[in-house]
Amino acid sequence: MTTPATPTSNPPTSSFPPTSLPTTNPPTTASTTATATGAASNNAAQGGGGGGTPDVEYSLHERVLCYHGPLIYEAKVLRVQNMKEPSALTGFTGMHYYVHYKGWKHTWDEWVQASRLLKHTDANITHQKALQAQHAASSHSSTSGAGSTSSGPAGGNPKGTSTTKHTNSSYSSHPSGPSAPGTGGGTTQTSSARLGGVRKDARGTKRARDDDDASKKVEMKLSVPEVLKAKLVDDWEAVTKNNQIVRLPRTPTVEEILGEFGDLKDPNIMLPTILSGLQIYFDKALGSNLLYRFERLQYSDIRKRYWTGQDVVVGVTEKEMSCIYGAEHLLRMLVMLPQMVAQTVLDAESVGIIREYVNELLL
């Protein structure tokens, strides 16, 4: 299966944390499986970072500029609401604006904070064009090649993708909502590209040599079985195209899966540390890295029920998300793990140990 082409006419994109979250294209090869889970930072999960001024107010039907990922797009304010309770989509209170991106389908309309918005002025338009030029240059110079994808408010079904309905009992239908994930696989400039100018101007200096060493990241390559790649595609279609969400709580949970794996292995001093680290990674990455936009409302409800709600008793009824979510979301994290590890300072030996255990877990 070949990953469908995505629009290139400047759609809003999001960078993936630690590198990039789900894209509008299904993961179909070893090099693209990580895109099924999306892959940016916490801001990316909310639709991208912003550089606007939070205390500036905007009026209904006002023509504005809106940050989406690393770029800025022309938009229009369709609704204005002062949210007293934290928004299920953004997690924040205060003024929120429901915007429509000019030239994109309404499936990409979304609630944003003022920090994502800019006034439609000549100066800000100049800034918008400068970001677009910078993004295009970084995309051209990136060594990721065909592995880089972009996604945006294209709406509809990607050309060439299947429209088969899934009836997996692990999923439940949701009455309404956009099918596109809330984050995209925005192109990320590599360390060598960012440091290229430094090395050219300071060739032979100690700092240039240090920068070269720092840019040599330890790669973590996983062997994802074909059956699990197919599961990732099925998961993507169920959520983004069929408007289905995984039934929660899951059985077995992430905690139980990791525990059962540990029971099958010979006990050693490293195993508990590795498994505990994977569980912590999952709990920290779930909300910002592992969810499609369609799943965020469910995630907000689960958090309120088991973690942040008034009825939750600390140490008694509270539960980490690894005790609620199951294999579907754990698989999303495992295929993203190489990107996560690339953002750390782990040495080659540590990365090798993690890779060995994760590859066994994937079997």
Side-chain angles (χ1 to χ4, degrees), residues 44 54 59 67 69 74 95 97 106 152 163 178 188 198 215-216 219 231 233 237 273 287 303 319 333 349:
S59 57
Y67 276 92
E74 184 175 344
M95 295 301 298
Y97 303 89
H106 289 282
T163 56
T188 302
V198 175
S215 66
K216 296 176 182 177
E219 293 187 7
K231 290 291 185 182
V233 176
E237 288 186 342
T273 303
R303 288 271 299 177
K319 292 184 179 181
M333 188 202 75
E349 182 179 0

Side-chain angles (χ1 to χ4, degrees), residues 76-263:
K76 182 178 181 180
V77 177
L78 301 183
R79 280 184 273 170
V80 179
Q81 183 175 347
N82 188 2
M83 298 186 179
K84 304 298 183 182
E85 297 293 331
S87 167
L89 297 178
T90 68
F92 296 95
T93 59
M95 295 301 298
H96 282 66
Y97 303 89
Y98 192 71
V99 299
H100 168 70
Y101 295 101
K102 182 180 178 181
W104 298 102
K105 291 188 177 181
H106 289 282
T107 53
W108 286 94
D109 296 357
E110 62 176 338
W111 285 101
V112 301
Q113 294 178 278
S115 60
R116 292 264 305 276
L117 299 178
L118 293 171
K119 291 291 184 178
H120 196 281
T121 63
D122 291 340
N124 288 334
I125 291 175
T126 300
H127 180 51
Q128 174 195 27
K129 294 179 179 178
L131 286 180
Q132 290 175 346
Q134 181 182 1
H135 182 71
S138 66
S139 299
H140 179 72
S141 63
S142 174
T143 59
S144 57
S148 298
T149 59
S150 61
S151 62
N157 293 324
K159 186 180 293 185
T161 58
S162 169
T163 56
T164 304
K165 289 287 184 179
H166 290 270
T167 56
N168 191 320
S169 61
S170 299
Y171 296 85
S172 60
S173 297
H174 199 282
S176 63
S179 62
T183 57
T187 302
T188 302
Q189 188 179 10
T190 62
S191 298
S192 58
R194 292 196 302 270
L195 297 172
V198 175
R199 291 198 298 271
K200 181 177 179 180
D201 297 336
R203 190 181 301 275
T205 64
K206 182 178 183 301
R207 179 174 179 180
R209 292 193 298 272
D210 291 342
D211 288 342
D212 281 335
D213 293 338
S215 66
K216 296 176 182 177
K217 295 289 186 180
V218 179
E219 293 187 7
M220 177 180 173
K221 295 182 180 180
L222 299 179
S223 300
V224 182
E226 292 299 324
V227 64
L228 294 186
K229 294 178 186 178
K231 290 291 185 182
L232 284 168
V233 176
D234 291 343
D235 180 36
W236 174 84
E237 288 186 342
V239 178
T240 65
K241 299 177 68 176
N242 300 335
N243 293 348
Q244 296 175 314
I245 53 179
V246 177
R247 298 178 185 273
L248 298 176
R250 295 291 289 124
T251 302
T253 65
V254 171
E255 182 184 47
E256 291 170 342
I257 293 172
L258 295 177
E260 290 176 7
F261 174 74
D263 293 339

Side-chain angles (χ1 to χ4, degrees), residues 28 88 94 286 294:
T28 55
L286 178 64
F294 193 62

Side-chain angles (χ1 to χ4, degrees), residues 13 161 251 267 284 315 322:
T13 62
T161 58
T251 302
K284 298 299 182 183
S322 55

